[in-house]
Amino acid sequence: MSSTETVTPIQNAVNIGPVLTQRLRDVGVTTLDEVRERGAIEVWQLIADTAEGNECAHMLLALEGALRGQRWTSIPRSERDALLVEVGLKDASELRAPKKR
């Protein structure tokens, strides 16, 4: 990292509130760069492995949104669905066809 680059503490990233910040710290992740290096899915899996019930879809989407620098709700639904299917939180058969106008 060059001297002109800054490290973003995880609690300053978009979508990352106090609960997720603590969960990230519990698995040793303290900066957005660490999430970027590992990827949202790997970091989500680290957290999910720490305790049953930590495999929340919103947590995965929050991490992905943090990497993109945008609210997770701004991620296109098709991309959100693909992420959830990839980790087994959503079955591909649950994906809805787009509504016709």
Side-chain angles (χ1 to χ4, degrees):
M1 183 179 316
S2 73
S3 60
T4 59
E5 292 181 60
T6 59
V7 175
T8 302
I10 198 63
Q11 69 272 13
N12 293 350
V14 66
N15 301 316
I16 310 297
V19 171
L20 185 49
T21 294
Q22 188 57 54
R23 288 186 177 162
L24 288 162
R25 287 180 178 157
D26 289 346
V27 296
V29 176
T30 59
T31 69
L32 185 57
D33 287 335
E34 291 173 277
V35 178
R36 192 171 284 114
E37 288 171 14
R38 293 178 167 200
I41 291 175
E42 183 179 325
V43 172
W44 171 84
Q45 190 63 59
L46 282 171
I47 295 169
D49 289 345
T50 63
E52 190 174 323
N54 276 345
E55 59 281 341
C56 171
H58 290 110
M59 182 174 50
L60 174 59
L61 296 174
L63 290 166
E64 181 64 27
L67 291 177
R68 296 175 184 215
Q70 67 187 80
R71 297 289 301 158
W72 70 266
T73 54
S74 297
I75 299 170
R77 179 166 298 279
S78 61
E79 292 176 35
R80 287 186 270 163
D81 287 345
L83 267 174
L84 298 178
V85 166
E86 187 172 343
V87 300
L89 289 177
K90 192 169 198 172
D91 188 285
S93 65
E94 295 176 36
L95 301 179
R96 293 174 278 155
K99 292 180 182 177
K100 293 184 180 182
R101 294 181 187 219

